[in-house]
């Protein structure tokens, strides 16, 4: 009977250790708040378009897969004069490996206010916000939002691994920003 009790206790302890080992990669991949803060307000050069908002960045640990090479010792056998001969030699083998890397996921939320929505005599009746996202590696890309109405327009976008995010507020028509460009304003800057 004592043997059965000891076996049961050791089985429970082993299950707890295995469960802890299985949960550790999940805890390594958990999101850690890295940066939270407001941005703006930024204005067009004539102060008739205004953009402001909030940015949040979370740090994640993710597996990055890559190809690696390693020298391995292999047995090379051949037949010579009816007799099998074997030699040991080193050859390069390619294999897939991974490592933990930091990944920064961002979310930008904003509000675009159009103070010139009822200006029927001008062709620049829409407010525009153009975001420039510069990643750590890769090409720079842009996101644009417009508001041609009286009510503020709320928007958001997300991505990952941005080193710099900046915004330029301007005015234009329904098809794009045309004039009254404000300066580039900082939304997020990776430290």
């Amino acid at each position: 009977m004592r043997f059965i009790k000891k076996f049961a206790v050791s089985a429970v302890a082993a299950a707890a250790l295995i469960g802890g080992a299985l949960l550790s990669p999940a805890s390594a991949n958990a999101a850690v708040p890295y940066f939270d803060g407001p941005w703006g307000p930024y204005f067009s050069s004539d102060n008739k378009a205004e953009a402001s908002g909030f940015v949040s960045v979370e740090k994640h640990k993710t597996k990055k897969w890559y190809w690696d090479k390693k020298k391995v010792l292999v047995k090379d056998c051949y037949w010579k004069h009816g007799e099998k001969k074997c030699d040991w030699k080193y050859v390069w083998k390619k294999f897939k490996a991974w490592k933990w890397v930091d990944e920064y996921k961002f979310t930008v939320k904003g509000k675009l206010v159009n103070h010139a929505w009822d200006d029927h005599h001008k062709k620049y009746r829409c407010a525009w916000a153009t975001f420039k996202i510069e990643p750590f590696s890769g090409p720079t890309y842009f996101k644009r939002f417009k508001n041609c109405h009286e009510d503020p327009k709320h928007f958001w976008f997300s991505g990952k691994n941005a080193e710099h995010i900046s915004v330029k507020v301007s005015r234009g028509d329904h098809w794009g920003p045309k004039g009254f460009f404000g300066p580039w304003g900082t939304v997020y800057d990776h430290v």
Side-chain angles (χ1 to χ4, degrees):
M1 191 69 170
R2 286 175 34 195
F3 172 74
I4 294 173
K5 285 182 183 176
K6 284 183 182 179
F7 180 73
V9 168
S10 62
V12 169
L17 286 174
I18 290 171
L22 291 176
L23 292 177
S24 63
S27 62
N29 197 15
V32 177
Y34 183 75
F35 177 81
D36 285 323
W39 58 269
Y42 295 115
F43 297 90
S44 60
S45 62
D46 64 350
N47 290 332
K48 292 188 177 180
E50 173 187 354
S52 62
F54 191 81
V55 61
S56 63
V57 180
E58 292 179 340
K59 183 177 175 181
H60 295 265
K61 291 271 189 196
T62 58
K63 286 183 182 179
K64 181 178 180 183
W65 292 92
Y66 63 96
W67 288 102
D68 201 358
K69 288 195 289 186
K70 182 162 68 170
K71 262 189 174 178
V72 293
L73 189 61
V74 295
K75 190 177 189 182
D76 184 26
C77 295
Y78 55 93
W79 291 91
K80 186 173 184 182
H81 304 297
E83 197 176 311
K84 185 176 180 182
K85 301 217 177 209
C86 293
D87 292 331
W88 290 94
K89 64 179 184 177
Y90 284 99
V91 295
W92 286 100
K93 290 281 186 181
K94 193 164 126 178
F95 64 96
K96 200 168 184 182
W98 61 270
K99 61 182 175 181
W100 287 108
V101 295
D102 290 334
E103 190 173 81
Y104 299 91
K105 295 184 179 178
F106 66 85
T107 302
V108 176
K109 296 178 182 178
K111 177 175 74 170
L112 185 58
V113 180
N114 184 9
H115 298 293
W117 62 274
D118 61 345
D119 196 353
H120 295 291
H121 304 298
K122 298 238 179 183
K123 58 183 176 179
Y124 301 141
R125 292 194 336 211
C126 297
W128 282 85
T130 304
F131 290 88
K132 179 167 65 171
I133 299 99
E134 301 172 62
F136 291 114
S137 61
T140 298
Y141 60 98
F142 297 88
K143 297 269 187 189
R144 288 199 279 182
F145 300 94
K146 71 175 176 179
N147 182 9
C148 300
H149 304 288
E150 177 181 9
D151 295 328
K153 180 177 183 177
H154 296 274
F155 60 88
W156 72 274
F157 66 94
S158 59
K160 63 183 181 178
N161 295 334
E163 189 170 6
H164 305 288
I165 303 173
S166 49
V167 64
K168 182 181 278 196
V169 181
S170 60
R171 292 181 56 210
D173 56 17
H174 285 280
W175 297 275
K178 303 291 185 188
F180 299 104
F181 295 97
W184 285 104
T186 301
V187 173
Y188 169 72
D189 204 5
H190 184 76
V191 180

